[in-house]
Amino acid sequence: MELFQAFILGMVQGLGEFLPISSSAHLILAPWFFGWKDQGLAFDVALHWGTLIAVVTYFYNDIWLIFKGFIHSLRKSTRDFQNNVYQKLAWLLILASIPGAVIGKLLESQVEGSFRNPLLIAATLSVMGIILFLADRFGSKIKTLTHISWVNALVIGLSQAAAIIPGVSRSGATMTTGLLQGFTREHAAKFSFLMSIPIILGAGLFKLPEIAQIDNHAQLAVGFISSTIFGFLAIKYMLKYIANRSFAVFTWYRLALAALIVIVYFVRA
C-alpha cells in the first residue's frame, strides 16, 4: 500500500464515520473503484481509532462531565438521574452500545466476507438514504438530550447494530432513529457521535492482536493521522451544517453513489 492510499483511506474513514454516508462502505469501495488491494478489516478498525481520537477531542468537556456523572451515579448520596442529564447519559450510552457489540461479535465472519459486496452496499446506501430523508422530513424535531429515555437509547442502539452491514452507516442509522423519535438534528447527531466512542474502542480492542500484526507502520500512521484530522473536521462542520439545513444532500449523495456502483459493476462484468 502506498502512503497516498493510506491517506485517502484515512480521509474516507474520517469523513464517513460522522457523515451519514457509511465509512465501512467507502473503505470497501475505494479499493474496488481504484483497483487497490483490499486493506483488510484490521486496517479499517485501526483507522476507526483515528476517528475515536477526533470525537474524544471534540467532545472533551461533555465526556468529562459524563464520566463525572457516571461516578456520581454510583453513590446513592449523589445519584440524581432526574435532574443531572450527564448521569443519565452515562448509563444510556452504555445501554445503547450493547446491541452493536453483541451483533458485531455474532456476525464477525460475514463482516469480513459476504457483507463486503458492492451490490449489497448499493442497496443499503439507497434504502437507508431514503429512510434518512423521510425521517428528517417528517420527524417532529422537538426533543433534546434532556428528554432522552432508556427506550430511546435502546432503540437507537439497535439501529447502530444494523450498521454492521456496510452502506447502512452507523451515524446515519442512529441519527435517523433519533429523528424518528422526535429529536432535533443537532441532538440526534450529538448522541450518535458520543455513541461511537464505546463501540469504536471496543472493536479496536477486540481487533488489537490483528492490528499489532500489520507491518506497514508508516502507512498505518498516515492513515491514522488522516482519519483523526478529517474526523474532527467532519464533526465540527456537520454540526454547523445541520443546525440550519436538512439531511437531503446526503440522501442524494447516497443515491448517486449507489447508481455509480451498479453501473461500474455491470460494466466490469
Side-chain angles (χ1 to χ4, degrees):
M1 181 190 300
E2 300 293 331
L3 290 178
F4 174 73
Q5 294 176 19
F7 174 82
I8 294 297
L9 291 173
M11 179 181 69
V12 163
Q13 166 58 29
L15 296 175
E17 181 63 38
F18 302 111
L19 304 182
I21 58 176
S22 180
S23 63
S24 59
H26 283 71
L27 288 172
I28 295 168
L29 292 173
W32 182 73
F33 275 130
F34 298 117
W36 300 341
K37 181 180 178 182
D38 191 300
Q39 67 278 5
L41 187 60
F43 192 88
D44 290 356
V45 172
L47 294 182
H48 276 68
W49 273 24
T51 50
L52 175 63
I53 298 300
V55 72
V56 168
T57 301
Y58 190 89
F59 289 109
Y60 173 80
N61 288 332
D62 290 281
I63 293 168
W64 174 242
L65 291 172
I66 289 170
F67 175 75
K68 288 202 301 183
F70 175 75
I71 297 300
H72 289 155
S73 73
L74 296 177
R75 302 190 208 123
K76 189 174 181 179
S77 61
T78 55
R79 186 180 304 143
D80 187 6
F81 291 119
Q82 184 173 355
N83 298 307
N84 190 311
V85 66
Y86 293 105
Q87 289 189 24
K88 182 168 68 171
L89 276 177
W91 286 97
L92 293 184
L93 287 169
I94 294 172
L95 174 65
S97 301
I98 293 173
V102 173
I103 298 298
K105 176 59 179 175
L106 292 176
L107 298 181
E108 180 184 5
S109 61
Q110 287 87 341
V111 173
E112 299 186 12
S114 59
F115 284 174
R116 298 171 80 86
N117 181 289
L119 289 183
L120 174 63
I121 291 173
T124 52
L125 282 171
S126 301
V127 172
M128 289 305 301
I130 293 170
I131 295 174
L132 172 61
F133 179 85
L134 294 174
D136 190 32
R137 176 68 178 81
F138 296 107
S140 61
K141 294 184 282 293
I142 58 174
K143 292 182 182 179
T144 67
L145 290 185
T146 58
H147 303 106
I148 192 168
S149 68
W150 71 269
V151 174
N152 296 142
L154 183 59
V155 173
I156 294 173
L158 289 170
S159 72
Q160 179 171 252
I164 193 169
I165 304 173
V168 169
S169 171
R170 190 206 61 78
S171 61
T174 52
M175 283 189 273
T176 296
T177 307
L179 290 168
L180 287 172
Q181 295 185 99
F183 288 91
T184 66
R185 296 186 185 107
E186 301 96 313
H187 284 261
K190 185 174 181 179
F191 191 72
S192 170
F193 296 159
L194 290 172
M195 278 179 67
S196 71
I197 296 173
I199 200 73
I200 293 175
L201 179 62
L205 292 174
F206 183 74
K207 284 288 182 180
L208 193 58
E210 294 178 43
I211 294 173
Q213 293 177 11
I214 297 176
D215 55 7
N216 49 350
H217 296 138
Q219 291 87 340
L220 189 60
V222 168
F224 179 86
I225 294 170
S226 175
S227 175
T228 302
I229 293 171
F230 283 100
F232 185 90
L233 293 175
I235 297 171
K236 180 179 179 179
Y237 291 106
M238 174 70 173
L239 289 173
K240 287 185 177 181
Y241 180 85
I242 61 175
N244 301 302
R245 299 177 181 86
S246 75
F247 284 96
V249 65
F250 300 107
T251 294
W252 292 117
Y253 172 81
R254 291 172 71 108
L255 293 174
L257 179 58
L260 179 61
I261 293 169
V262 173
I263 291 170
V264 172
Y265 185 90
F266 285 106
V267 166
R268 291 178 177 177

